[in-house]
Amino acid sequence: QVQLVESGGGLVQPGGSLRLSCAVSGFTLDYYAIGWFRQAPGKEREGVACISSDGKLYYGDSVKGRFTISRDEAKNTMYLQMDTLQPEDTAVYYCATDLTYYRGPGVCNPGLYDYWGQGTLVTVSS
């Protein structure tokens, strides 16, 4: 059974950092496309950072240079290091996989993904 469980969200001041974790089970991180997505109130879900099946990293334009996606295959865990957080980064963050082999920049399209975690709330506020 495929499961994804996010953790690490919380309240942080502007300019601060957080690291989100996504513990997965039922599949391996080294083959399928995986990613982090977020949804702010009243907005559509958007791709934040993704890893394609060939290991390439893709980032949304608003987080490039501030966020870093990584994975630890031995721990079956994916991470999102978020630095220089801004109030506009406030959202529920989700990790997801589609259990298919996918390459290319479209890997961060939320519509590709079938399996989602429950989400973790990140609030950036002073």
Side-chain angles (χ1 to χ4, degrees):
Q1 183 178 2
V2 174
Q3 286 190 318
L4 303 97
V5 180
E6 303 95 337
S7 61
L11 174 64
V12 62
Q13 292 187 341
S17 297
L18 278 177
R19 189 177 80 155
L20 305 183
S21 299
C22 174
V24 309
S25 59
F27 69 101
T28 57
L29 287 171
D30 61 344
Y31 185 79
Y32 302 108
I34 54 174
W36 287 97
F37 303 82
R38 67 185 182 187
Q39 189 164 19
K43 294 188 176 181
E44 293 187 353
R45 192 167 296 188
E46 64 173 344
V48 175
C50 303
I51 305 177
S52 62
S53 295
D54 57 355
K56 294 184 178 179
L57 310 183
Y58 296 88
Y59 294 93
D61 289 340
S62 62
V63 306
K64 283 180 182 176
R66 300 189 298 124
F67 289 12
T68 304
I69 187 173
S70 63
R71 62 189 178 190
D72 185 331
E73 294 161 19
K75 294 183 178 180
N76 286 338
T77 302
M78 179 172 66
Y79 303 98
L80 183 67
Q81 177 66 40
M82 306 186 294
D83 298 317
T84 320
L85 283 160
Q86 301 301 319
E88 52 266 34
D89 295 316
T90 295
V92 178
Y93 284 72
Y94 302 88
C95 58
T97 184
D98 67 341
L99 291 187
T100 58
Y101 187 87
Y102 191 91
R103 300 183 299 176
V107 69
C108 251
N109 178 352
L112 289 174
Y113 290 78
D114 296 322
Y115 299 90
W116 296 83
Q118 82 288 351
T120 186
L121 177 63
V122 172
T123 303
V124 184
S125 175
S126 56

